[in-house]
Structures are given as structure tokens and as C-alpha cells.
Amino acid sequence: MAAQVHILDINAHPRTIASFVLETEEGPVLFETGPYTAAERLRQALAQLGYAPSQVRHVFVTHVHLDHAGGAWSWAREGAKIYVHPRGLPHLADPSRLWASASRIYGDQMEALWGSMAPIDPAQLVPLEDGAQIRLGGVEIEAWETLGHAPHHLAFRLGDALIAGDIAGVRIEGGPALPPCPPPDIHLELWQASLERLRRASLASLYLTHFGRVDDVQEHLADLAKTLDDWGRWILERLRQGRSQEELIPEFEAYVRGMLEARGMSQEEIEAYEVADPAWMSVGGLVRYWSKIHPEALA
């Protein structure tokens, strides 16, 4: 049986968070679990493909942010192995620090947005280094370390397709490619290097967690690289003017909205972008980047 990737829409707000199911001769392989709040929708989507949760024995997460791996523990309890970057693995074995860090951002919205997290038995966690190859049911999965959004980010190559996580950005309904830049670990130079790696590869399609399949790979990556550079410079210029993070948030939200409106996005599509890639969060991530990585640029 030829491998086939299915896109599963699992968030309460449609077309903002995807999981992917790779069909193989040995059963389904799951990429990205989404948050635990999406667990029931993910199970229902799997049922529509004809699979029970117990048939999912292998789960790959691009990184441990809660919208990508927050529900991984529930699949481990079904007996699945969870494949993750070595630097992300400790946070799935003991999610207390990850949860506390996210709580500083989301406050009393944590439970509504993400549900809960529980530890995963380390025996069920499989660390994947850059270039690691896993063969499951006749399909080879290759892990690519793709840093810049997070220091523990992987993308997964399946032939000429790539399960891209957040390194290839957010794109809703054919709109522009936008970079999700939440704190605390955005690194613009590493991100651009990862995009260059993707551009050099012979990829026919990207699968974006936010959201779906992209076939105009080179145009998409060029658009994303340009916007990533633009956003970084926009924040830097205003920090040099002495503007505070609190002052920048409403201005940047308006700036991003203007970008989306200029590209013909509807109000509904703009709302989906804001759910998948909140502009206020990118302000925090980029302010931290300049302050932490390049404080000399603020002088």
C-alpha cells in the first residue's frame, strides 16, 4: 500500500491546528497531537479514517509547544512511542517547567486553551537527532533539525514532502506565510538558516500544522523569509526609539492586520490567523530576541 498523508482539522476554531496521519503497511503514524483540548476531535477524525486510538503506535512531534505536543501524553497512555528532539524530550517526561513557562504567557487561560499535561514514561520517548531515519511500514521518515522557532524543533521528511511544524510558518486559506514568534527562544539567524535548508531541498510539498498542505514551496519559503526579516526589523526600529513592549502590541497587531487585509484576507480568515499566530505573542518573542541575543543592536 502506498503511503498517504491525511490532514486532520482538530482545533475548535477550524483550519488553525492540524494533525497528520501517514498511512503505512503497518498502520497509521501520527504527526502532531495538538493540545489535549483537541484530543477528542483527533480521535474522532481518526475514527473517520477507520482507525482506533490503540492502532496508533508511533507519534512524531515537531516540538513540545502545547499546540503541537500538548496531547502527546494521552497517546503514550494508549501505548504509542513518542518521537521528539533530544532537547524537547525532558519536557515531555516531566512537563512541569514547560507548563509553568506557558502559564506565564497565558495565565488563567491555560486550562481552556490547553487542557492539561501529564508525564510520559521515558521508556516511551524516542530522541531523534538531525538526520535520524526511521522506517515504519515501508515508509522512511527522516528527522531534520530546523532551529529558529524553538531550540528543539524537528521537521520530518517523507520523500519529497515535509511535515514542517512551525519552521515553515503559518498560512491560512492561501494567504501570506507568517512566522509564529512566541517567547522565549526565537532566533532569527537560525530560522533563516533553516529556511535556506528547506529551499535547497527538492521538496514538492510542505505540511503546515497551521494549516494544511502547501505546494508552491519556493514561493512560500521566500515569502516567509521576507516577512520574518521585516517583522524583526519593525520591532528593532521601535525598540531603538525607546518604545515599550506594551506600547508595541496594539501597533503591531494593526500592522499585521493591514498586511492580511492587503493580501485580500477576509475578516474570518484574519481571525484564524490571529488564533494560529497571535500578533501580541510575536511582539514578546521578538523583543526578547533583540534583548537577549543582540542587546548591542538596541544601543
Side-chain angles (χ1 to χ4, degrees):
M1 180 177 68
Q4 183 177 3
V5 176
H6 297 276
I7 302 168
L8 307 184
D9 190 345
I10 63 169
N11 200 26
H13 194 299
R15 299 186 69 78
T16 54
I17 300 179
S19 289
F20 306 102
V21 171
L22 170 68
E23 291 196 294
T24 78
E25 295 171 355
E26 296 179 12
V29 177
L30 180 64
F31 295 85
E32 308 282 67
T33 68
Y36 184 59
T37 49
E40 185 55 33
R41 284 184 292 273
L42 177 49
R43 282 162 169 75
Q44 290 172 359
L46 277 166
Q48 292 177 355
L49 294 177
Y51 296 117
S54 60
Q55 291 177 270
V56 178
R57 313 308 295 169
H58 304 277
V59 175
F60 291 75
V61 295
T62 58
H63 58 304
V64 303
H65 291 172
L66 301 181
D67 54 334
H68 294 256
W73 64 272
S74 65
W75 293 95
R77 290 192 177 180
E78 296 281 355
K81 291 182 179 179
I82 312 297
Y83 298 79
V84 63
H85 192 286
R87 287 197 289 271
L89 187 151
H91 294 292
L92 295 184
D94 177 4
S96 57
R97 288 181 59 194
L98 176 65
W99 193 261
S101 177
S103 296
R104 288 193 287 273
I105 299 173
Y106 298 103
D108 59 8
Q109 294 294 308
M110 284 293 292
E111 185 174 348
L113 288 170
W114 314 122
S116 62
M117 283 190 81
I120 297 175
D121 183 344
Q124 291 177 262
L125 292 167
V126 181
L128 293 179
E129 301 280 357
D130 182 44
Q133 296 178 348
I134 306 293
R135 193 164 187 85
L136 298 171
V139 180
E140 186 172 271
I141 302 165
E142 183 177 1
W144 286 4
E145 185 178 65
T146 40
L147 307 182
H149 173 80
H152 58 275
H153 193 288
L154 295 172
F156 301 105
R157 183 167 187 166
L158 311 171
D160 62 1
L162 191 75
I163 307 292
D166 277 346
I167 202 64
V170 171
R171 190 174 180 187
I172 308 291
E173 301 291 354
L178 302 186
C181 298
D185 296 311
I186 297 303
H187 195 298
L188 297 185
E189 293 92 336
L190 292 177
W191 199 329
Q192 292 286 6
S194 293
L195 294 179
E196 180 59 27
R197 179 180 187 177
L198 269 57
R199 281 194 292 266
R200 291 197 308 267
S202 299
L203 296 171
S205 57
L206 305 169
Y207 287 90
L208 309 181
T209 309
H210 317 291
F211 177 92
R213 177 172 166 169
V214 167
D215 294 321
D216 57 337
V217 173
Q218 292 300 326
E219 294 84 353
H220 174 92
L221 294 174
D223 190 24
L224 179 62
K226 182 177 183 300
T227 300
L228 182 63
D229 182 67
D230 176 68
W231 284 14
R233 292 178 184 276
W234 192 99
I235 294 292
L236 176 60
E237 288 172 3
R238 285 151 183 82
L239 289 175
R240 284 173 168 170
Q241 295 168 5
R243 309 292 289 281
S244 70
Q245 181 170 322
E246 291 70 23
E247 290 174 319
L248 292 181
I249 287 173
E251 290 186 32
F252 189 70
E253 288 176 334
Y255 179 66
V256 173
R257 173 175 287 274
M259 289 179 58
L260 294 172
E261 290 174 344
R263 294 286 287 266
M265 296 290 97
S266 68
Q267 179 62 35
E268 182 180 357
E269 290 162 347
I270 291 172
E271 289 176 1
Y273 267 101
E274 186 61 18
V275 170
D277 186 7
W280 65 267
M281 194 177 301
S282 287
V283 173
L286 290 168
V287 167
R288 182 176 173 84
Y289 163 78
W290 289 114
S291 301
K292 179 181 177 181
I293 305 299
H294 290 294
E296 74 285 355
L298 302 178

